[in-house]
Amino acid sequence: MSKPDLKIVGEIKPPDYKDPATMLRNIADDIEAGVYGEVGTIVVALASEKGVDLFCGGGQSSLEHCAFLFGTAAARCHAAPWDGLDYRPK
């Protein structure tokens, strides 16, 4: 019995969140579209071959606000059931 020939019928593209630049552009588009309401602070942790960099931005981007947001994000990660939980706005 011979094996069937495999045919390429399309390209499997990874989701946008797998590409950091695309993910950041999508977040910026959603902020501009008002998906999150008024955004006062944004914090980003970036891990690369050069190490870890932290970015804080927005009208309320003092060190205290950014530290609070990182702490809140860490607590949400620890509480997540790790089964595909999606924190995006509904």
Side-chain angles (χ1 to χ4, degrees):
M1 180 183 286
S2 66
K3 295 182 180 180
D5 291 333
L6 296 177
K7 296 179 183 178
I8 298 174
V9 294
E11 180 182 346
I12 297 175
K13 183 180 174 191
D16 287 340
Y17 70 85
K18 292 285 190 178
D19 176 54
T22 300
M23 183 209 60
L24 288 170
R25 284 186 195 95
N26 289 342
I27 291 171
D29 290 345
D30 287 348
I31 290 171
E32 288 178 338
V35 170
Y36 302 101
E38 185 176 337
V39 175
T41 309
I42 186 169
V43 294
V44 175
L46 184 147
S48 71
E49 62 186 24
K50 294 182 178 183
V52 175
D53 290 299
L54 305 174
F55 303 90
C56 302
Q60 299 172 4
S61 58
S62 67
L63 180 59
E64 294 84 7
H65 279 97
C66 294
F68 174 78
L69 281 177
F70 273 118
T72 302
R76 289 182 82 171
C77 287
H78 291 296
W82 300 99
D83 63 353
L85 189 62
D86 187 353
Y87 285 116
R88 291 177 290 185
K90 304 298 180 216

